[in-house]
Each structure stands twice: as structure tokens, then as C-alpha cells.
Amino acid sequence: MKQDLKYLPMLALTALIWGSAFVAQSVGNEYVGSFTFNAVRSVLGGAVLLPMMPLLDRLSKNRREAVTPADRKNLWLGGTLCGVVLGLGSGLQQWALEYANVGKVGFITALYIIIVPLLGIFFHRQPGAQVWAAVAVALGGLYLLCWNGGLAIGPGELLLFGCSGLFSLHILIVDHFSPLVDGVKLSCIQFFVAGLFCSVPALLFEQPTLSGILGAWGPILYAGVLSCGVAYTLQVVAQKHVEPTLASLTLSLESVFSVLAGWLLLHQTLTARELGGCVLMFCAIVLAQLPSRKKAAKA
């Protein structure tokens, strides 16, 4: 079992960058539309990864066999599917920031950690009692986070539920294609495809302007260069040396950092009820990622 704890700070830094990126996304909404923001940041993320490919190849020390036509087909098919789903999911997330604060967005987005094992049912992977317990805890957390006493939840929460579902699908697609292709190249293609995908609704409905994009240059640079390019690179390097469950638990700190970043940088606060929902959601995230007794016995 790979377990080099000195790489955990890299994963914690990744979670910090991703959690803080919600602030950049929220500020970016003041200048450009949701899909315009994601179109530009995604292209930036892909551009940052291009020069990093040779470096990551040397760090991983992988000597792959000659690339076959089947490899190329899997790479482009996987990159395209990932890009379309990621583009739509990130667009919904960006749109939700117009209705909800960054802390709430961070925690509800993290639902994908619980949805993924539930979707495994369709692939004949029956989740254990531990996952069902995590779902029950998460539902309690969502009730405290989202319910305002009315008969319906708000548009921001609805957008985030769709975003979490799409991110869950994205994880399953990556899980299928990543063993077949180079992970960094897959990510690079997905960012460019996501940028192209987001540019369509941006041009049709948002009428982006150069002045608006330049006005949001700071948030776009942070979200594109740091959140997409740098954070992804840190994750790829670190996860080669850290056991997956421990890596997932460390990365789940993203939701906690989103609350702290919203409080420190945007002076956004959560009510006691919403904070209680965040605590339950974080407990559900941790519970869903802990190794089950069955897996521990096999190890």
C-alpha cells in the first residue's frame, strides 16, 4: 500500500486552492456571465497543462509503450466526454454562485463524494451500509443547509444538485478512461473541450465583452491557472504516493476551506443552522470515504 505522508501537504494545498477558488468564481460573476467565466478559465487551465506534460512524465517515470490508434481513440473520446460534462457542471456551479454564498456552494458541491458510490448500483457495485449511513447524514445536513421553511428549495440549491450529479458522472467517466490513457493529456483535452462547450451558451446568451473579461482578469487567472492547472498537477503528483482513501479525505477539506475563504475574503457568514448543516455534510463526506470492514479485511 502506497503511503508517503510527506505528500499530504500537497493534497491539503490542493484542497485550499480549490476551496478558495469559489471566492474567485463569486467575484468573477460581477464582471462576466457564468459560462463566459468558465470558457476562459478552462482554456487557461488547458494552456497551463501543456508545458507541464514533459515535467510530469519525468516525475512519474512512466515509460509507456508506443501509442496505438485505440489509445488515441480512447484519449480523445474520454477527453471529449469529460470536457462536455465538466463544462456543463462547472457552468451550473458558477450560475449557483449568483444565489448562494461560497460556503454553501462548496458543501453541496461535495455531495459528489456520496453520489458516486450510489451511482455504482447501475454498474453492479452495491454500496455498503456505511454509504447508506453517509447518505442519511448528508440528507440531514442538506435539510439544515437548504431548507428555509418554505415548500420549495431555492434555485441555487437546485443548480447545485445538478452540478453535483454532473461532477459524479465526470468522476465515473474519468475512472473508466484514466487506466487506458495518460491522465494529464486527458485532463488537458477536457479543459479545452470544456472551454469550447461553455463558449456556445456564453456567445448565445451572455454577450461577453473584452472589457468584462479584462475586468475579471484576477479571478479568471486564479481559477484557470491555480485551480485548474497548478492544483490538478499537485493532485496528480501526490496521489501517486498516497493511498486513495486518505487522499480523498484530505481533498474533502475543500468544502471547509470554501467556508473559511468566504468568511475571510468576502465577509460571508452562515447561520447557526447552516453551520450545523455544514458539520453534518462534512461528517457524511468523511464517512463515505472511510474504508469499510470488508475492504480492510481484504487488505
Side-chain angles (χ1 to χ4, degrees):
M1 180 182 293
K2 54 182 181 179
Q3 196 78 325
D4 196 338
L5 298 183
K6 70 181 180 183
Y7 285 90
L8 281 181
M10 293 177 67
L11 291 175
L13 178 58
T14 300
L16 174 61
I17 292 173
W18 283 345
S20 303
F22 288 114
V23 172
Q25 292 174 239
S26 180
V27 174
N29 272 347
E30 299 175 8
Y31 299 91
V32 294
S34 303
F35 285 96
T36 300
F37 183 91
N38 277 305
V40 180
R41 79 175 279 202
S42 296
V43 172
L44 266 178
V48 168
L49 281 181
L50 280 175
M52 289 185 178
M53 289 181 187
L55 173 63
L56 289 174
D57 284 340
R58 288 196 293 270
L59 287 174
S60 62
K61 297 179 181 179
N62 283 336
R63 298 186 179 276
R64 295 176 58 86
E65 297 178 358
V67 177
T68 65
D71 292 332
R72 294 192 191 93
K73 179 181 177 181
N74 283 324
L75 178 62
W76 284 100
L77 177 60
T80 301
L81 290 174
C82 287
V84 170
V85 175
L86 180 64
L88 184 55
S90 59
L92 292 182
Q93 183 189 69
Q94 187 74 17
W95 193 2
L97 282 164
E98 297 181 13
Y99 302 96
N101 62 41
V102 297
K104 182 180 288 189
V105 171
F107 270 95
I108 298 180
T109 298
L111 263 180
Y112 66 80
I113 295 178
I114 299 168
I115 296 175
V116 167
L118 293 180
L119 289 178
I121 295 174
F122 298 100
F123 301 94
H124 307 291
R125 302 174 187 170
Q126 188 66 30
Q130 181 176 298
V131 173
W132 291 114
V135 171
V137 175
L139 288 174
L142 286 172
Y143 174 79
L144 294 177
L145 265 175
C146 305
W147 226 261
N148 56 12
L151 295 177
I153 58 178
E157 287 83 1
L158 289 173
L159 289 168
L160 288 171
F161 292 152
C163 162
S164 296
L166 287 164
F167 282 174
S168 302
L169 180 59
H170 176 263
I171 290 173
L172 291 176
I173 296 173
V174 171
D175 182 64
H176 174 75
F177 284 99
S178 59
L180 307 176
V181 299
D182 182 275
V184 180
K185 292 178 181 177
L186 179 73
S187 184
C188 187
I189 292 173
Q190 80 165 354
F191 284 138
F192 283 120
V193 171
L196 181 62
F197 179 84
C198 288
S199 66
V200 175
L203 292 172
L204 288 176
F205 305 113
E206 295 177 350
Q207 298 178 336
T209 62
L210 181 59
S211 61
I213 294 173
L214 292 176
W217 71 268
I220 288 175
L221 275 179
Y222 185 95
V225 176
L226 286 178
S227 182
C228 292
V230 175
Y232 175 80
T233 304
L234 290 174
Q235 181 193 15
V236 169
V237 173
Q239 280 201 231
K240 292 181 181 296
H241 306 277
V242 179
E243 193 272 326
T245 299
L246 185 57
S248 298
L249 287 172
T250 306
L251 290 173
S252 69
L253 290 172
E254 170 192 359
S255 55
V256 177
F257 286 132
S258 70
V259 174
L260 294 175
W263 173 61
L264 286 172
L265 301 176
L266 298 179
H267 308 292
Q268 294 179 347
T269 58
L270 297 172
T271 65
R273 175 191 178 99
E274 290 172 332
L275 284 173
C278 288
V279 171
L280 286 180
M281 285 290 295
F282 186 67
C283 290
I285 290 167
V286 172
L287 181 59
Q289 292 297 307
L290 288 175
S292 65
R293 292 181 180 179
K294 189 179 295 185
K295 290 181 179 178
K298 289 181 179 179

